Amino acid sequence: MSGSSVSQRPSSALRRVLVPLALAQFICSFAGSNMNVMINDMSEDLNTTVQGIQTAITIFLLVMAALMIPGGKLTDRYGRKRCLIVGLAVYGVGALISAVSPNLGVLIIGNSILEGIGTALLIPPVYILTTLLFTELTSRARAFGAISAMGGVGAAAGPLIGGLITSAISWRAAFVFQALIIVLIILLSRHIKDPLPPDPSSVFDTGGAVLSAVGLILVVMGILAADNSTWLMISLLVAGALVLLWFFLSIRAKERAGKEPLLSTSLFRNRTSNLGLVTQNIQWLVLMGTSFTVAAYLQVVRGYNAIETGVIFTAATAGLLLSSFGAERFAKRRAQRTLIILGFAFTAGGIALLLAMVGNSSTPWALAPGLFLIGFGIGVMLTPSVNIVQSSFSEDQQGEISGLSRSVSNLGSSLGTAIAGTILVAGLSHGGYAAAMAALAVAGIIGLIVSVFLPRGRIPGTSAVDQPGAA
C-alpha cells in the first residue's frame, strides 16, 4: 500500500483503524495501574505482602520497558500487524493465567512476564502503524493525541474500574476483563492493513537486546532492594550501569563496523528529542508512582476497600479526561513547550496538595483536589511530549524512535512504582506516604526544569496546528 493511497483513504476508514490501536494502548496502561486498588485483596488471597504485589507490578512495567525496543525491531522482520496480533494473544494468555493464579509466583509469570512480553510486542506496532497510516501531519498528531489520551485514561481510570470489578466480583475478574478486551481488539484489528511488507532478511541484534534488557532490569531491581540491603542496592545499580555502558559501546562498535545495531546512536544526538524523552519518562514516573502510593496508603493505612479507593481516583480520571478533551483546542492556542511546562506546573501543584493533606484530614476526599490537578496536568502534556519526540525524526526513523519513546515511558512507570513504592513500603504510615510523595514532587520539579529548555517556536516536522507559535 503506497503512502498516497493511504492518505486518500476516507476518514471513516482511518477512524475504524484507530479504534483498536487506541484500545490496545488503553488496556496496557490500565494493566499497569488497576492492580493498585487490589493490594489488600490480592495479598490476602495469594498469601503475600504489599511488597510482593509492588514487585509484581514493577516487574510487569519493567518487562515492558526492557523489551519495547527489541519489540519494535521485530516488526521490521515479521510485520507490524503480525507482531500486534501475536502480542495481543500472548497478553491475553497472561491475563487468563493471572486470573487463576494460586500464588504470587504464578501471578508474576502471567501478569508480570507474559502480559509484559505481550505489551512489548503489541505497543510498537500501534505507534508505527499510526505513523505509516496517518500520513498527513495534522491527522497524525490527532491520532497520536487519541492514543496518548487513551493511555493516560487507562492509567488514571485503572483504579476505578479495577475497584468496581474487585468489589462486585473478585480481583481475578479484573484479569478476565482484560482478556475480553484483548479479544475485542483482535476482532477489530482485522481491518488493519500493514502498509509495508515484512522483511525476513532484516537483522536482529540479539546481543544488544539482551544487554539492554539486563541493564534495565538490574537498575530497577537495585531500587527495589533499597529497603532490604544498601550494599545489594548499590551492587545492582552499579552492575546495571556497567551493563548499559557495555550496551552503548556495543552499538557504537556495530555502527562503525557497518552492522545494524538494536538502536542507532543518532537517536540520541537530537537535543529536542532527548529533552522530550526526559519529560515523557518523568510524566509516567509521577503518574504511576502517585497511583501506587495513594492507593496503597488508602488501603493499608486508612483501611479503605478496593471500590472506595477506586472512587477516590475518579478525581484524577476526571482531570485527565477534561484536559484530553481540550487537547486540540490547547494545541491551537499554545506551543507544545508551553503545554508541557503548564502540565508539570499543575502536576507539581497537585502533589503539593496531596502532601498538605497528610494526616490533616479524616476524609479521603481531601485528596481529590490534588489528584484532579495531577490528572489534569498529565493530560495537558502527554500528547505534546509524544509529538515533539516523533516529529524530531524523518519517516525512515519512525520505527526506531517509536520503540525508544515507548521504552522510555514504560521505564518511567516502572521507576515510579519502584521508587515511590519502596519508600512507602519501608514505612507504611503517614510518614512513609509523605516521603514517597515528596520524592515524586522532586521528580515533577525536575520535569518542569527540563521542559523550560525545550526550544521555543515550532518544532521541525510539525504542522502549524500542532505548534502555533512561540511560548
Side-chain angles (χ1 to χ4, degrees):
M1 180 182 296
S2 67
S4 60
S5 63
V6 172
S7 63
Q8 292 169 1
R9 295 178 64 184
S11 59
S12 60
L14 280 176
R15 285 197 296 269
R16 188 168 60 176
V17 167
L18 183 59
V19 170
L21 299 179
L23 272 178
Q25 178 63 79
F26 168 84
I27 199 64
C28 292
S29 299
F30 169 86
S33 67
N34 84 113
M35 281 174 61
N36 292 337
V37 297
M38 309 175 192
I39 292 173
N40 280 345
D41 297 82
M42 294 182 74
S43 58
E44 291 174 8
D45 197 5
L46 300 176
N47 194 28
T48 185
T49 62
V50 173
Q51 188 176 22
I53 302 302
Q54 178 212 3
T55 300
I57 296 171
T58 303
I59 292 175
F60 165 70
L61 296 168
L62 178 57
V63 169
M64 282 198 296
L67 299 182
M68 198 67 70
I69 295 173
K73 297 293 284 188
L74 286 174
T75 62
D76 294 332
R77 187 167 188 169
Y78 298 106
R80 286 133 293 274
K81 182 176 179 179
R82 182 180 299 174
C83 286
L84 174 67
I85 299 301
V86 171
L88 288 167
V90 172
Y91 186 108
V93 171
L96 292 176
I97 291 175
S98 301
V100 299
S101 56
N103 53 51
L104 180 62
V106 176
L107 177 73
I108 288 177
I109 292 173
N111 173 252
S112 308
I113 306 300
L114 289 179
E115 287 192 41
I117 292 173
T119 302
L121 284 173
L122 73 91
I123 287 298
V126 167
Y127 285 81
I128 297 170
L129 285 168
T130 301
T131 300
L132 295 174
L133 293 170
F134 291 83
T135 57
E136 199 273 319
L137 286 171
T138 302
S139 64
R140 181 187 298 169
R142 288 171 179 166
F144 276 132
I147 292 172
S148 298
M150 286 297 284
V153 169
L160 173 61
I161 299 173
L164 287 169
I165 296 174
T166 300
S167 297
I169 309 174
S170 163
W171 64 267
R172 298 179 185 276
F175 287 101
V176 177
F177 168 78
Q178 292 181 44
L180 292 174
I181 297 296
I182 290 297
V183 172
L184 175 62
I185 297 171
I186 291 175
L187 292 174
L188 293 173
S189 298
R190 292 176 302 166
H191 302 294
I192 297 175
K193 303 294 184 183
D194 198 332
L196 298 175
D199 181 10
S201 63
S202 176
V203 177
F204 181 74
D205 182 9
T206 305
V210 172
L211 287 176
S212 64
V214 171
L216 292 175
I217 289 170
L218 287 173
V219 169
V220 176
M221 294 308 290
I223 296 172
L224 288 173
D227 62 331
N228 295 322
S229 169
T230 302
W231 284 112
L232 178 60
M233 175 193 72
I234 294 173
S235 299
L236 289 171
L237 289 175
V238 171
L242 290 174
V243 172
L244 290 175
L245 176 61
W246 183 6
F247 166 64
F248 180 74
L249 294 176
S250 73
I251 62 177
R252 286 190 63 184
K254 286 185 175 70
E255 285 184 328
R256 285 195 295 265
K259 299 178 180 179
E260 185 178 349
L262 180 69
L263 199 64
S264 172
T265 56
S266 65
L267 296 179
F268 300 100
R269 297 182 190 134
N270 187 302
R271 179 176 178 272
T272 299
S273 172
N274 289 340
L275 292 171
L277 287 170
V278 172
T279 63
Q280 281 187 21
N281 180 275
I282 296 176
Q283 287 162 18
W284 285 99
L285 186 156
V286 171
L287 178 60
M288 299 304 290
T290 300
S291 178
F292 180 85
T293 301
V294 175
Y297 170 73
L298 289 175
Q299 292 170 89
V300 179
V301 179
R302 291 287 190 92
Y304 292 100
N305 60 29
I307 183 60
E308 291 170 330
T309 303
V311 168
I312 293 166
F313 271 92
T314 56
T317 307
L320 201 144
L321 282 173
L322 182 62
S323 56
S324 296
F325 288 145
E328 186 173 345
R329 186 184 310 164
F330 297 155
K332 290 178 179 178
R333 297 181 179 179
R334 296 287 184 269
Q336 294 189 93
R337 172 183 180 271
T338 304
L339 293 176
I340 296 173
I341 292 174
L342 289 173
F344 275 115
F346 281 122
T347 301
I351 295 175
L353 281 178
L354 291 180
L355 275 169
M357 291 298 105
V358 179
N360 293 332
S361 176
S362 58
T363 172
W365 287 108
L367 303 177
L371 289 173
F372 176 85
L373 278 180
I374 291 173
F376 186 84
I378 294 292
V380 164
M381 59 183 166
L382 273 181
T383 299
S385 288
V386 172
N387 282 344
I388 281 178
V389 172
Q390 297 289 151
S391 300
S392 297
F393 296 92
S394 59
E395 292 290 331
D396 61 334
Q397 290 183 295
Q398 286 299 311
E400 276 192 302
I401 192 59
S402 293
L404 177 61
S405 174
R406 294 306 89 209
S407 180
V408 166
S409 295
N410 284 298
L411 179 62
S413 297
S414 183
L415 289 173
T417 306
I419 295 171
T422 298
I423 295 172
L424 178 68
V425 170
L428 279 169
S429 62
H430 294 307
Y433 167 80
M437 292 307 302
L440 294 172
V442 171
I445 292 171
I446 292 173
L448 178 61
I449 293 172
V450 170
S451 63
V452 171
F453 289 95
L454 286 167
R456 296 173 180 270
R458 193 171 70 86
I459 305 300
T462 57
S463 65
V465 173
D466 305 325
Q467 282 286 11

